[in-house]
Amino acid sequence: MQFENVAIVDITETRKSRGKIERGNEYHSLEKYNEIISRDLLDSAGIEKSDVDGWAMGLPYAPTDESYPIRLLETLGFNVQWLTTTRDGGVSASSLLAQAAMAVESGVTETVICSLCDLPMDPYHKNKDSDGPTWDPDPRGYMKQYLLPYGCQGPNERAAHAVQRHMEEYGTTFDQLGEVPVTQRYHATLNPLAAFDEELTIEEWYESPMITDPHRLYDCVMRVNAGLGYLLTTKERAKKLTDNPVYVEGAGFNYANDVSPKPDVTVSGMGTAGDIAYENAGCGPEDIDFVQLYDDYPIMVVEQLEDLGFCEKGEGGPFVEETDLRYDGDLPLNTSGGQLSAGQPGVGAGAIQVNEAVRQLKGNAENRQIDDPRRGVVTGLANLGYGTNTTGHGCVILTNEEETHA
Amino acid sequence: MTDESDSPMTDTDSTTTGPLTAEALTADSAFTLPGFFDALADGRLLAARCTDCETHMLPPRPACYACGSRAVTLSEQPRTGEVVSYTSVNRPPSAFEHLAPITVAVVELDSSARLTGRVAAPLEDLAIGDRVELEVRDPEDVGIDPAFDLSYEAEWPVHVFERA
Ligand SMILES: [Zn+2]
């Protein structure tokens, strides 16, 4: 996918909430989050609701009815002529961005709001350990019948299998893996929108409890409620609405890539998605100034750095140890703190990455601003299976240079 | 129901050339989870085997996820294999809290099929490549409280790997 005539005007992102109202956490409805982000996007561009003719919506994991997207637009008062929805897990944010860009590029719509709002922490949801959930998150029964009886709990241990193999095959060490959450937490201390913004030392990381060995507490992403969004329009219009538009230079996706019975959990399918994105953008890893990589677990960051060509397969451990990953370092990584620190907002998870890339390229990252970045990589991952790696991947290359390489 | 759809579902190494009919995929069929666990309770660990590419699928699936073929048959699996990867669940769901930490491994059976399950050994004693053997147990025997409001079929058997 190549994009000649589309630009991101701006992004927006709410504070994160753990949804614990008994502890004073704020709790907004999906409608409220969508209202907040759409108002922010209109205000920052100086446009009216009637100027928006398209909407791209990430479908929340929280239960909604079959006409939810239309009812939501009615509630918010947006009459649009193009609407799309997506729900491909952690890839949603990058796939929605690409879908909206394609729609603007094709001329079917001119000005599009992308909204990714979700409530994975629902204080009114029944506790699954008491009376059972009010909706069935596992309709095929795979978790219930096949995994829960063995004491399995979910992605924490699925990713732990990948860590164990990476350590065994390539000698990856705890010192190396710990670099990722510790560096990202440093970035979170500079981000007022991060859910977890207290400083974290490598010693504290080592001392944190093992959750699914070799995963410690700070290696496991935490769910939060939040709303995130972006505004896209044509290049020509974007230049009238903002001084610093951001361009989509290339996008690549890869789904259901490894359903073999003997998958190699040290390899993600991001390599294929990345190759497509690099080819569209006419660039390679050497042209990338920063990376915002989907980070449900540190091992996923390490494997993506390998699969996206920043180092050889198996060298991800030494690479994160030897490379300064801070915002003012060699290859800035997840400069908002990533999901490990900013939190994982359901269907909006990957938008943590998209939004920070746009902030950096617009020069709006304030006290964590990378020095004059030109081009960054954003990724999304989905569907981490048992004994398999992820099988959903999205890679988008963003730039603030109007002329593309192509 | 025709004769062809009747026979192969409960036999092992039958010569199903598929596709399986919708009528054949009842809860009695080991191609469904209830049938798979019924067989396991009888001491038989069944996988689907693709007769076109020899891929094994555990639990059984009615089509091959490696080559797409529907020519699958049931195949009884060996009980022994080796550890591909492992972890320990230190914070399990409430019903299993008293069992923590629970060692869980992905095991490659000697047939090449892979199966995830508990390992009856502490994490420190386990390594990738270790030989293990499958045991099938009643839920009560592994200490799962039947009074707990579980969200799955509580009477289904539990499989546990012992170090070989
Ligand atoms: Zn096959």
Side-chain angles (χ1 to χ4, degrees), chain A residues 53-183:
Chain A
D53 64 351
W55 196 292
M57 193 180 296
L59 288 179
Y61 304 162
T64 52
D65 74 76
E66 72 282 2
S67 299
Y68 165 77
I70 303 169
R71 288 184 219 274
L72 177 66
L73 294 180
E74 282 178 353
T75 305
L76 300 177
F78 281 88
N79 168 215
V80 299
Q81 285 70 54
W82 181 77
L83 169 65
T84 193
T85 63
T86 196
R87 201 179 121 168
D88 42 354
V91 188
S92 299
S94 45
S95 85
L96 210 55
L97 176 58
Q99 290 178 53
M102 284 189 283
V104 172
E105 184 89 11
S106 75
V108 70
T109 179
E110 186 186 23
T111 303
V112 180
I113 286 179
C114 292
S115 72
L116 294 124
C117 302
D118 207 347
L119 311 171
M121 302 296 288
D122 184 347
Y124 302 109
H125 213 74
K126 283 186 189 169
N127 184 334
K128 67 179 190 306
D129 289 335
S130 57
D131 296 318
T134 51
W135 57 292
D136 190 349
D138 180 30
R140 287 171 59 230
Y142 183 73
M143 282 299 297
K144 282 197 289 280
Q145 316 290 24
Y146 187 55
L147 296 180
L148 290 178
Y150 315 145
C152 302
Q153 58 183 6
N156 288 346
E157 71 213 64
R158 293 179 222 160
H161 289 299
V163 183
Q164 200 76 264
R165 286 298 308 191
H166 209 279
M167 293 177 98
E168 168 91 3
E169 288 181 37
Y170 302 115
T172 308
T173 67
F174 280 128
D175 279 355
Q176 293 164 351
L177 290 166
E179 280 294 317
V180 172
V182 169
T183 304

Side-chain angles (χ1 to χ4, degrees), chain B residues 49-57 63-72:
Chain B
R49 181 174 63 80
C50 173
T51 59
D52 283 330
C53 78
E54 292 302 314
T55 289
H56 287 77
M57 291 155 278
C64 176
Y65 47 39
C67 76
S69 170
R70 288 169 180 265
V72 291

